[in-house]
């Protein structure tokens, strides 16, 4: 053989080898690869074949870690129907119409470059039919976020409490000098502030987590990120803070209103509505537990608050859960909504924080918790002493001891709510009133409760609604059911707030104290995905328009649009709502199921929204380290920035341990790489 020819062939082969991968990449940019619906049966996750999933309505790794549980089915006489929230992975070309008759209700249809992720409520019986539907590629469990967050905290507590070797490795660092918390020096944030004068100005950051309590001393009204309408970018994706206000109060002549409790029903997250009576409820699980009912009068004082007399004042009860290190607090908060501007549309809410605080004081006394001041030592059944809450003044919090620092918060008025359990839709359709049992409730609530699945026969779809209903049917108070989200918000962008630390008075501001904070409390992983689309600048495309003001009067004429061939999907609007999202949680279980490749549905959702909108998602890599290949989804996304954990343990000298510096990735932090070999951990 001619040696020259051989050489030429080698060169050609080499060139081909070099060129082919590039060509493949070039092709993939123009022709989006698609999964074709070729299966006769979809892949059904084994988790959906397990009783546990249907018991909780979602994948729950450890039910003892649930922050928000189901009411006792025996006590509340809840029928034992098995239903749950699932992800239906569908071909990109298949319309959700094929799901007609096969789901209880559709929560979202989220497009990606690989497939559509549909989030839906289904019964256990519907699983099989759904699995053999053409276009359906896989059915996967949705996952409860609160359990993930609680598990993470429990593991960390146990590690630090029990492992002397770990304690030795993690030598304390930091002198505690200076006016700020040491962490802003560790990350270099302090240098950026002082050398470049940049403290996060003009940046919007969304905390997708357990909620953000803007009443926290380091946050407040000024920290709230706003959209182009000036509305707060507070998006309650799981309707956790939804307060129905069904009672039209009668205005009396002496500054009082009369409330007819036979019209009262209360939404209890995640998806229950109960008929109620003239009682407020409180329960605390810590220190042996304490629960009780407070009978309330028919009349409530409103003093001389401003309201339009031709529009009825409407009354309802908020039902909040707050999970603390001592135990979980459940309680109700009286709320009214009024039209104060006189245009016929509701615009202002009042929460009776002092009467609610009375319940909190009573319940927490079982743990000898000291609450400062005298507010709420007796219930006042009055809205006259409360601040009017409206857009522009959203934070509902009280300073109890007059030192200028808020001590008690019931949350903030949300800008938007996602009707993920269809409660608002059914309220608008008058369904609750029809379905509420007319028997006299025992205790404070009806024992013959109505729950969501009884009304799901029409397969409703979820929509974005305003946080304060202009028609007065509901209002949404966003709060943090856990504290994890508020902690993350303060760590990232808490304002300069001076507090007594072990090193003296010092600011505990976050890394970017001038950034604005958006928030989405979420209970299910599926609804965090909706938040990702919302904050990345996607909007719901419907036959009633793009919903940019999220008012849906026409929707009530025909709410079943997803099954009639209309477009019903999240579409990018061309401008993102926030610059950055923070996701301080992840799903380790997906690694065990072999789906941590970076092409699992959640990672794909993160990749797609980043590439489409330029919004950057920061995601915790997880606390399952230090092994090789440890990373949880969605940090395994190729384009999201995975964040590992490090610590200086500056608090250790406070407890008499040696100070010292570690400045390294902490042992339990995940490190990656993903199964694709992508390194996502970014240690400081
Ligand atoms: Ca008004
Ligand atoms: Ca009051
Ligand atoms: Ca105070």
């Amino acid at each position: 053989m001619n040696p020259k020819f051989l050489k030429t062939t080698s060169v050609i082969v080499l060139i081909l080898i070099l060129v082919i991968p590039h060509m493949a990449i070039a092709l993939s940019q123009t022709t989006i690869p698609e999964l074709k619906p070729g299966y006769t049966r979809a892949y059904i996750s084994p988790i959906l074949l397990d009783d546990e999933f249907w018991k909780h309505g979602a994948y729950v790794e450890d039910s003892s870690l649930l922050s928000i549980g189901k009411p006792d089915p025996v006590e509340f006489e809840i029928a034992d129907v098995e239903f749950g929230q699932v992800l239906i992975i569908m071909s990109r070309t298949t319309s959700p119409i094929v799901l007609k008759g096969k789901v209880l209700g559709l929560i979202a249809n989220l497009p990606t470059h690989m497939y559509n992720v549909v989030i839906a409520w289904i019964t256990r019986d519907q699983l099989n039919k759904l699995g053999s539907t053409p276009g359906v590629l896989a059915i996967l469990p949705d996952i409860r976020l609160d359990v993930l967050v609680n598990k993470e905290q429990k593991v960390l507590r146990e590690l630090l409490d029990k492992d002397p070797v770990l304690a030795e490795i993690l030598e304390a660092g930091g002198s505690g000098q200076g006016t700020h918390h040491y962490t802003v020096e560790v990350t270099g944030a302090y240098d950026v502030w002082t050398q470049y004068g940049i403290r996060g100005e003009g940046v919007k950051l969304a905390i997708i987590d357990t909620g953000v309590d803007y009443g926290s001393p380091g946050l407040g009204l000024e920290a709230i990120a706003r959209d182009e309408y000036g509305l707060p970018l507070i998006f309650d994706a799981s309707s956790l803070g939804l307060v129905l206000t069904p009672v039209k109060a009668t205005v009396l002549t002496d500054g009082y209103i009369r409330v007819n409790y036979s019209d009262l029903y209360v939404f209890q997250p995640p998806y229950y509505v109960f008929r109620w009576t003239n009682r407020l409820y409180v329960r605390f699980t810590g220190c042996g537990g304490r629960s009780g009912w407070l009978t309330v009068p028919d009349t409530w004082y409103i003093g001389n608050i401003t309201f339009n007399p031709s529009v009825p004042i409407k009354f309802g009860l908020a039902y909040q859960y707050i999970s603390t290190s001592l135990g979980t607090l459940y309680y109700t908060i009286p709320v009214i909504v009024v039209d104060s501007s006189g245009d016929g549309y509701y615009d202002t809410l009042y929460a009776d924080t002092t009467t609610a605080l009375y319940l909190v004081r009573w319940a927490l006394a079982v743990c000898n918790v000291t609450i400062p001041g005298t507010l709420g030592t007796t219930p006042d059944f009055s809205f006259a002493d409360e601040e009017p809450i409206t857009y522009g003044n959203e934070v509902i919090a009280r300073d109890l001891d007059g030192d200028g620092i808020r001590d008690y918060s019931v949350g903030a008025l949300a800008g938007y709510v996602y009707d993920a359990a269809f409660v608002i839709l059914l309220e608008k359709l008058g369904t609750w009133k029809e379905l509420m049992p007319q028997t006299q409730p025992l205790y404070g609530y009806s024992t013959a409760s109505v729950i969501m699945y009884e009304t799901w026969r029409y397969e409703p779809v979820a929509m974005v609604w305003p946080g304060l209903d202009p028609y007065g049917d509901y209002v949404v108070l966003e709060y943090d059911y856990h504290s994890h989200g508020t902690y993350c918000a303060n760590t990232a962008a808490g304002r300069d707030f001076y507090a007594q630390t072990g090193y003296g008075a010092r600011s505990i501001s976050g890394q970017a104290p001038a950034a604005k904070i958006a928030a989405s409390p979420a209970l299910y992983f599926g609804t965090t995905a909706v938040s990702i689309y919302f904050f990345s600048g996607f909007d719901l495309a419907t036959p009633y328009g793009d919903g940019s003001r999220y008012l849906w009067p026409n929707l009530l004429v025909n709410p079943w649009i997803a099954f009639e061939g209309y477009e019903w999907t999240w579409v990018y609007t061309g401008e993102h709502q926030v610059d950055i999202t923070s996701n301080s949680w992840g799903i380790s279980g997906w690694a065990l199921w072999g789906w941590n490749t970076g092409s699992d549905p959640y990672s794909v959702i993160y990749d797609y929204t980043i590439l489409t909108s330029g919004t950057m998602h920061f995601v915790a890599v997880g606390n399952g380290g230090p092994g090789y290949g440890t990373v949880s989804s969605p940090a395994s996304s190729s384009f999201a920035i995975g964040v590992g954990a490090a610590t200086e343990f500056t608090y250790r000298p406070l407890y008499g341990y040696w100070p010292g510096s570690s400045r390294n990735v902490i042992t339990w932090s995940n490190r990656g790489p993903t199964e694709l070999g992508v390194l996502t951990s970014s240690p400081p």
Side-chain angles (χ1 to χ4, degrees):
M1 194 181 275
N2 183 336
K4 195 181 170 192
F5 176 70
L6 187 68
K7 197 178 171 190
T8 313
T9 313
S10 310
V11 170
I12 289 169
V13 170
L14 195 64
I15 287 170
L16 279 175
I17 289 167
L18 288 173
V19 167
I20 285 169
H22 289 287
M23 282 173 66
I25 289 165
L27 277 175
S28 71
Q29 284 167 348
T30 48
T31 316
I32 299 165
E34 178 167 349
L35 296 174
K36 297 278 184 217
Y39 303 107
T40 49
R41 284 196 59 82
Y43 170 78
I44 295 178
S45 167
I47 287 164
L48 298 176
L49 307 177
D50 189 343
D51 292 344
E52 276 294 298
F53 176 87
W54 301 100
K55 204 163 114 191
H56 303 293
Y59 175 68
V60 172
E61 198 175 309
D62 179 350
S63 60
S64 71
L65 297 174
L66 281 164
S67 290
I68 297 176
K70 280 185 177 175
D72 186 300
V74 177
E75 187 186 359
F76 283 78
E77 292 181 15
I78 294 168
D80 193 20
V81 171
E82 293 178 315
F83 63 96
Q85 194 160 312
V86 295
L87 307 183
I88 304 170
I89 311 302
M90 297 188 34
S91 143
R92 286 177 66 236
T93 50
T94 306
S95 157
I97 295 172
V98 301
L99 302 177
K100 187 172 175 61
K102 296 168 185 169
V103 295
L104 289 172
L106 289 175
I107 296 171
N109 179 28
L110 305 172
T112 76
H113 49 293
M114 292 179 72
Y115 32 64
N116 286 350
V117 179
V118 171
I119 306 162
W121 291 101
I122 66 167
T123 66
R124 193 175 193 166
D125 297 339
Q126 287 172 322
L127 196 57
N128 253 328
K129 220 171 171 184
L130 207 52
S132 54
T133 302
V136 173
L137 305 172
I139 308 169
L140 310 175
D142 205 344
I143 295 170
R144 277 285 291 263
L145 194 74
D146 53 337
V147 175
L148 301 175
V149 172
N150 285 333
K151 183 188 171 192
E152 173 191 317
Q153 293 199 336
K154 188 182 164 204
V155 169
L156 288 186
R157 261 200 312 272
E158 286 173 358
L159 268 173
L160 294 175
D161 285 351
K162 291 178 187 167
D163 190 341
V165 179
L166 178 71
E168 202 174 310
I169 293 167
L170 306 174
E171 296 240 315
S175 60
Q177 300 296 314
T179 55
H180 282 82
H181 193 270
Y182 188 55
T183 51
V184 298
E185 292 165 20
V186 175
T187 60
Y190 193 79
D191 292 340
V192 175
W193 301 350
T194 49
Q195 288 176 28
Y196 302 102
I198 297 170
R199 291 165 58 93
E201 289 83 355
V203 173
K204 290 181 195 171
L205 158 73
I207 306 288
I208 301 173
D209 211 288
T210 58
V212 170
D213 185 353
Y214 289 93
S216 159
L219 300 178
L221 191 62
E222 187 271 327
I224 297 177
R226 295 179 185 278
D227 66 8
E228 74 252 51
Y229 307 111
L231 293 172
L233 282 170
I234 300 173
F235 177 62
D236 188 346
S238 301
S239 331
L240 284 172
L242 173 64
V243 186
L244 296 176
T245 47
V247 182
K248 289 177 182 167
T250 312
V251 178
L252 306 176
T253 51
D254 50 359
Y256 282 85
I257 53 170
R258 184 180 299 285
V259 171
N260 180 354
Y261 297 103
S262 67
D263 294 338
L264 181 61
Y265 39 94
V266 172
F267 171 59
Q268 180 179 338
Y271 37 62
Y272 297 95
V273 177
F274 292 104
R275 192 173 166 220
W276 214 263
T277 62
N278 60 335
R279 295 180 190 186
L280 303 181
Y281 177 59
V282 65
R283 177 173 163 230
F284 186 59
T285 62
C287 309
R290 195 175 209 191
S291 66
W293 295 92
L294 175 69
T295 303
V296 294
D298 289 349
T299 56
W300 293 73
Y301 191 56
I302 57 165
N304 55 2
I305 68 167
T306 307
F307 67 97
N308 176 356
S310 60
V311 173
I313 293 173
K314 296 189 77 181
F315 177 94
L317 293 183
Y319 193 113
Q320 290 193 350
Y321 302 72
I322 297 174
S323 182
T324 75
S325 54
L326 293 173
T328 304
L329 177 72
Y330 306 71
Y331 76 121
T332 48
I333 302 160
V335 166
I336 54 169
V337 288
V338 305
D339 167 24
S340 66
S341 68
D343 62 0
Y345 295 104
Y346 291 80
D347 50 49
T348 303
L349 82 100
Y350 294 84
D352 187 356
T353 62
T354 46
T355 300
L357 183 60
Y358 174 78
L359 300 176
V360 177
R361 282 184 184 276
W362 181 83
L364 297 192
V366 72
C367 287
N368 297 316
V369 172
T370 309
I371 296 174
T374 55
L375 278 181
T377 46
T378 52
D380 63 5
F381 308 115
S382 169
F383 297 101
D385 60 314
E386 308 289 347
E387 205 178 336
I389 302 299
T390 189
Y391 286 125
N393 183 41
E394 292 92 356
V395 181
I396 315 166
R398 306 281 302 230
D399 171 13
L400 302 180
D401 54 6
D403 65 355
I405 299 167
R406 296 174 290 266
D407 311 288
Y408 173 62
S409 165
V410 300
L413 171 60
Y416 303 98
V417 58
Y418 198 60
D419 193 19
F422 321 117
V423 177
I424 295 172
L425 181 66
L426 297 173
E427 170 70 13
K428 293 284 181 189
L429 294 170
T431 309
W432 296 129
K433 215 169 262 178
E434 279 172 33
L435 289 177
M436 281 296 142
Q438 291 310 304
T439 51
Q440 187 56 37
L442 296 173
Y443 314 113
Y445 50 81
S446 169
T447 51
S449 57
V450 171
I451 76 167
M452 295 304 303
Y453 64 80
E454 291 179 24
T455 66
W456 276 339
R457 67 195 82 148
Y458 302 114
E459 302 163 312
V461 298
M463 295 279 176
V464 182
W465 294 81
L468 199 171
D469 181 31
Y471 306 100
D473 291 331
Y474 69 87
V475 66
V476 181
L477 306 186
E478 190 262 358
Y479 69 104
D480 183 351
Y481 64 81
H482 185 283
S483 77
H484 186 267
T486 304
Y487 169 79
C488 292
N490 274 287
T491 305
R495 274 45 196 160
D496 265 334
F497 170 68
Y498 287 83
Q500 275 300 328
T501 72
Y503 309 113
R506 178 144 314 180
S507 172
I508 53 168
S509 77
Q511 306 294 319
K516 300 286 187 184
I517 298 166
S520 174
L523 198 60
Y524 297 90
F525 199 100
T527 42
T528 66
V530 177
S531 301
I532 284 289
Y533 281 75
F534 180 85
F535 287 127
S536 299
F538 287 68
D539 209 344
L540 196 55
T542 79
Y544 311 121
D546 68 358
S548 55
R549 289 310 299 254
Y550 309 103
L551 296 176
W552 305 104
N554 290 325
L555 172 69
L556 303 176
V557 179
N558 179 12
W560 328 118
I561 53 172
F563 297 103
E564 295 183 3
Y566 294 108
E567 196 174 0
W568 177 75
T569 190
W570 284 76
V571 176
Y572 184 50
T573 60
E575 197 170 346
H576 54 197
Q577 292 280 24
V578 303
D579 304 292
I580 295 167
T581 73
S582 162
N583 305 264
S584 180
W585 38 269
I587 307 165
S588 304
W590 289 70
L592 302 174
W593 305 335
W595 296 338
N596 242 25
T597 59
S599 57
D600 63 88
Y602 292 130
S603 295
V604 166
I605 281 171
Y606 279 66
D607 283 343
Y608 178 73
T609 49
I610 289 170
L611 292 175
T612 307
S613 72
T615 310
M616 186 42 75
H617 308 313
F618 285 71
V619 189
V621 291
N623 299 330
Y628 177 83
T630 46
V631 62
S632 58
S633 174
S636 45
S637 149
S638 300
F639 297 100
I641 294 181
V643 181
T647 186
E648 295 295 312
F649 279 80
T650 52
Y651 62 84
R652 293 194 66 225
L654 300 179
Y655 300 101
Y657 296 104
W658 278 89
S661 176
S662 58
R663 296 205 178 203
N664 212 332
V665 180
I666 200 163
T667 49
W668 37 256
S669 177
N670 281 0
R671 294 147 203 256
T674 68
E675 288 168 30
L676 292 179
V678 178
L679 253 183
T680 62
S681 181
S682 72

